[in-house]
Amino acid sequence: GQSLEQPSEVTAVEGAIVQINCTYQTSGFYGLSWYQQHDGGAPTFLSYNALDGLEETGRFSSFLSRSDSYGYLLLQELQMKDSASYFCAVRDSNAGNMLTFGGGTRLMVKP
Amino acid sequence: EADIYQTPRYLVIGTGKKITLECSQTMGHDKMYWYQQDPGMELHLIHYSYGVNSTEKGDLSSESTVSRIRTEHFPLTLESARPSHTSQYLCASGSGLRYTFGSGTRLTVV
């Protein structure tokens, strides 16, 4: 099976940089992706990594190290609207190539 | 514009009622999914489909059923709703590492 670990809660101030970590255990790893979900809303896709390294999309970047079974989402120049839950998800070839989601990290951005 | 749609957005029903949650996508995706999510909690896969006439149960046991008669349509049915079914139900489509989610149906069974 698969398991993903991410912190349950992170707090940061507006304008700061925050890193949300995700470690995973899976037998047929195919890639790691990140989703943002505001309260009452639906998850929306942010970024993915299939290979090691850093992917940058505006203020958001995602990193993957397959040898360490570890990735992170980096949010820069935090804004109040970034307050949301962030989920990492792994694609596992031994689980029908579907995504399995972590428990989510609730990010609170304070003024 | 290609998208994924869920109706109703909110639903309050009595115990024992039969309900169908609708999900349609216009992106031409073969793979579709239903997730159940309680507020502030993780997403649990309850059903998925690889294409027309293909349906499978997910990791979380659910008393609901699904059908996939058309590529774009993936409805979820509860034959007899119970208070334990109160939750948010999210439909998604896509493959690989990128899914697109509908807005969800927040179901309350009283």
Side-chain angles (χ1 to χ4, degrees):
Chain A
Q2 321 90 35
S3 71
L4 295 96
E5 295 283 338
Q6 52 181 130
S8 58
E9 229 174 74
V10 172
T11 301
V13 296
E14 207 172 3
I17 299 172
V18 72
Q19 178 174 313
I20 299 173
N21 299 321
C22 175
T23 57
Y24 59 87
Q25 285 184 314
T26 182
S27 51
F29 179 80
Y30 235 125
L32 181 75
S33 55
W34 290 91
Y35 289 77
Q36 178 193 59
Q37 185 180 30
H38 287 99
D39 284 348
T44 56
F45 172 81
L46 288 177
S47 181
Y48 79 81
N49 298 74
L51 302 173
D52 290 351
L54 190 69
E55 292 287 338
E56 297 180 76
T57 311
R59 294 188 296 114
F60 295 178
S61 303
S62 59
F63 172 83
L64 175 66
S65 169
R66 288 175 296 172
S67 60
D68 295 322
S69 298
Y70 162 76
Y72 66 72
L73 179 70
L74 190 74
L75 297 85
Q76 303 182 72
E77 300 172 20
L78 279 175
Q79 301 175 9
M80 297 298 290
K81 66 179 182 179
D82 297 330
S83 293
S85 291
Y86 293 84
F87 294 86
C88 61
V90 293
R91 181 186 172 199
D92 188 341
S93 62
N94 292 326
N97 277 317
M98 289 184 297
L99 291 181
T100 299
F101 287 82
T105 298
R106 188 170 184 86
L107 170 64
M108 287 183 286
V109 180
K110 297 186 173 181
Chain B
E1 182 181 338
D3 210 338
I4 182 165
Y5 306 93
Q6 283 188 248
T7 57
R9 185 76 176 89
Y10 300 93
L11 180 61
V12 180
I13 60 165
T15 299
K17 297 292 186 184
K18 177 181 178 179
I19 57 166
T20 296
L21 309 184
E22 300 289 345
C23 176
S24 294
Q25 51 100 0
T26 57
M27 294 175 284
H29 290 155
D30 286 325
K31 295 180 181 177
M32 297 188 72
Y33 318 86
W34 276 102
Y35 287 86
Q36 184 174 343
Q37 184 186 34
D38 292 325
M41 303 298 283
E42 61 193 287
L43 291 87
H44 293 285
L45 181 69
I46 52 174
H47 296 284
Y48 60 97
S49 167
Y50 286 142
V52 171
N53 294 326
S54 152
T55 61
E56 301 286 345
K57 288 188 178 293
D59 303 325
L60 181 68
S61 174
S62 173
E63 293 165 344
S64 57
T65 59
V66 291
S67 63
R68 191 85 182 277
I69 298 172
R70 304 197 315 267
T71 298
E72 62 271 20
H73 196 213
F74 191 39
L76 181 145
T77 298
L78 275 167
E79 291 291 333
S80 180
R82 298 189 296 172
S84 61
H85 295 139
T86 295
S87 189
Q88 174 162 255
Y89 293 84
L90 290 158
C91 180
S93 71
S95 59
L97 289 157
R98 184 169 187 160
Y99 290 1
T100 301
F101 284 84
S103 299
T105 294
R106 192 170 294 278
L107 174 65
T108 303
V109 184
V110 297

